[in-house]
Amino acid sequence: MRTKSLKKNKINVITLGCSKNVYDSEVLMGQLKANGKEVTHEATKDEGNIIVINTCGFIDNAKEESVNMILEYADKKEQGLVDKVFVTGCLSERYRPDLEKEIPNVDQFFGTTELPLLLKALGADYKHELIGERLTTTPKNYAYLKISEGCDRPCSFCAIPLMRGKHVSTPIEKLVIEAEKLAKNGVKELILIAQDLTYYGLDIYKKRNLAELLENLVKVDGIEWIRLHYAFPTGFPMEVLDLMKKEPKICNYIDIPLQHISDSVLKSMRRGTTYEKTTNLLKDFRKAVPEMAIRTTLIVGYPGETEEDFEILKNWVEEMRF
């Protein structure tokens, strides 16, 4: 029979998965600190007696890592090394009934939109007034700025809408406040993240409004670099390129996950674009900002991909020089 640990209440938050999860953990820890809770991030020594695991549920390796981490701390709880184990994040959102059945030693599972409920379970209240208050875990010179949550894209290979819901943009004024607070803490570079930067603003401003957001963020004293991650190629707001060219604070850099280039594979993936459209888009990028660094991610071995599809992709990557 397990015994209660002798440690005083200290919450150890463990983050798995992408930068969006890192951001969510930082917000969670900021809320806990504001509630007077002792909190640490991924401590290995004196790790605390209350564990919160922020999981990833996107691809098999990430799911396996998350499950193994849950099992590890469920076992530590059984041994009396920790007192409570809570699980949140994408894996918990997607597979909660299965997890509750298979790993009953976890105290409670929470989805991706249940921060107030998680805080309540940790003996804390959700403080709405804490705009931009986070305990950052990145090196002090940069921080992530999540500008929206969720995704409306119908890509056939992606479960993000199931785990994160529909696209919801954060208003510009709130993001500016958050950037100002980060700058006061010494942050020099903002890395803008979302499931889809390209879609920003359509829900609340009825237009793609990434350029206006950038125009406001470059005015924040102390911020010297702004970098764009996770821009969807379809419907990219081209006025962003004009701003990038003239505004020294915006890095000549973009992360644009293209996934493939063969028309047949793109159609199967439901990406809403073609070889010709994507190639022209990248040429427009380099014409507008000749020094731009373009980063991408690609999927090979996609169901139905032929040897010819793969050769088209390989030759195109050589031509585009990411």
Side-chain angles (χ1 to χ4, degrees):
M1 184 183 227
R2 68 174 297 275
T3 58
K4 186 175 175 66
S5 75
L6 298 177
K7 301 173 184 176
K8 68 173 186 174
N9 284 343
K10 181 178 182 181
I11 302 164
N12 185 16
V13 178
I14 297 168
T15 306
L16 303 169
C18 68
S19 56
K20 275 83 76 179
N21 266 20
V22 171
Y23 180 95
D24 291 345
S25 290
E26 292 174 350
V27 171
L28 167 64
M29 292 189 293
Q31 287 277 344
L32 289 169
K33 184 180 178 183
N35 276 271
K37 301 292 184 181
E38 187 177 0
V39 60
T40 185
H41 188 246
E42 299 183 348
T44 51
K45 293 183 179 179
D46 187 26
E47 62 184 2
N49 64 318
I50 301 171
I51 307 298
V52 178
I53 305 170
N54 191 0
T55 59
C56 178
F58 191 53
I59 59 175
D60 284 346
N61 286 349
K63 288 187 279 190
E64 183 179 353
E65 181 184 27
S66 293
V67 169
N68 287 341
M69 187 66 70
I70 298 168
L71 290 171
E72 177 184 335
Y73 278 97
D75 186 55
K76 286 186 177 183
K77 180 185 173 186
E78 192 64 32
Q79 296 175 48
L81 300 175
V82 301
D83 295 322
K84 290 184 180 294
V85 179
F86 298 99
V87 176
T88 186
C90 290
L91 188 83
S92 187
E93 175 74 36
R94 192 176 180 186
Y95 300 108
R96 187 186 323 199
D98 295 332
L99 292 167
E100 288 173 340
K101 181 181 177 182
E102 296 297 329
I103 317 178
N105 208 22
V106 169
D107 290 271
Q108 207 166 342
F109 292 88
F110 296 91
T112 54
T113 61
E114 295 181 322
L115 176 59
L117 295 176
L118 172 56
L119 287 167
K120 187 175 181 181
L122 294 168
D125 295 320
Y126 180 70
K127 298 184 181 295
H128 292 273
E129 67 275 14
L130 293 181
I131 297 175
E133 296 289 345
R134 291 153 49 195
L135 288 184
T136 54
T137 59
T138 48
K140 64 181 181 180
N141 58 298
Y142 75 86
Y144 297 114
L145 185 66
K146 186 163 72 168
I147 69 171
S148 66
E149 183 61 272
C151 185
D152 286 358
R153 307 287 186 176
C155 303
S156 61
F157 56 83
C158 182
I160 291 290
L162 292 174
M163 298 184 288
R164 291 281 178 173
K166 301 286 278 183
H167 180 99
V168 180
S169 301
T170 302
I172 289 173
E173 57 270 21
K174 287 189 176 182
L175 293 170
V176 169
I177 291 170
E178 189 167 346
E180 289 171 345
K181 291 182 177 179
L182 290 168
K184 285 180 181 176
N185 289 331
V187 169
K188 301 295 184 186
E189 177 179 355
L190 297 177
I191 300 178
L192 268 56
I193 59 172
Q195 268 73 39
D196 180 1
L197 287 189
T198 307
Y199 209 84
Y200 177 78
L202 267 176
D203 53 330
I204 55 176
Y205 301 116
K206 309 308 175 190
K207 63 176 182 176
R208 298 180 190 274
N209 220 22
L210 181 58
E212 186 177 343
L213 170 62
L214 291 169
E215 287 171 348
N216 281 270
L217 291 176
V218 297
K219 297 173 185 175
V220 176
D221 290 337
I223 297 300
E224 297 177 11
W225 280 6
I226 299 173
R227 193 179 299 274
L228 306 180
H229 275 217
Y230 309 111
F232 196 92
T234 306
F236 185 85
M238 301 303 285
E239 61 270 22
V240 168
L241 302 180
D242 297 329
L243 196 58
M244 185 182 287
K245 188 173 183 178
K246 72 180 183 182
E247 177 49 64
K249 284 189 177 184
I250 302 175
C251 296
N252 295 342
Y253 171 99
I254 197 158
D255 173 6
I256 184 163
L258 297 170
Q259 311 306 359
H260 215 282
I261 198 58
S262 164
D263 283 340
S264 61
V265 178
L266 289 171
K267 183 177 181 180
S268 178
M269 288 179 166
R270 301 205 295 265
R271 294 290 286 174
T273 190
T274 63
Y275 181 109
E276 183 180 7
K277 288 179 181 178
T278 303
T279 302
N280 288 338
L281 178 66
L282 297 186
K283 287 180 178 178
D284 287 342
F285 280 4
R286 289 190 165 127
K287 183 178 179 180
V289 188
E291 299 303 314
M292 181 190 286
I294 303 174
R295 178 184 185 270
T296 194
T297 50
L298 302 162
I299 297 173
V300 295
Y302 183 81
E305 181 193 48
T306 65
E307 199 65 38
E308 181 184 3
D309 292 324
F310 176 76
E311 287 299 319
I312 290 170
L313 176 63
K314 188 178 79 166
N315 294 335
W316 182 78
V317 168
E318 289 177 349
E319 179 188 348
M320 288 296 109
R321 300 189 66 81
F322 292 99

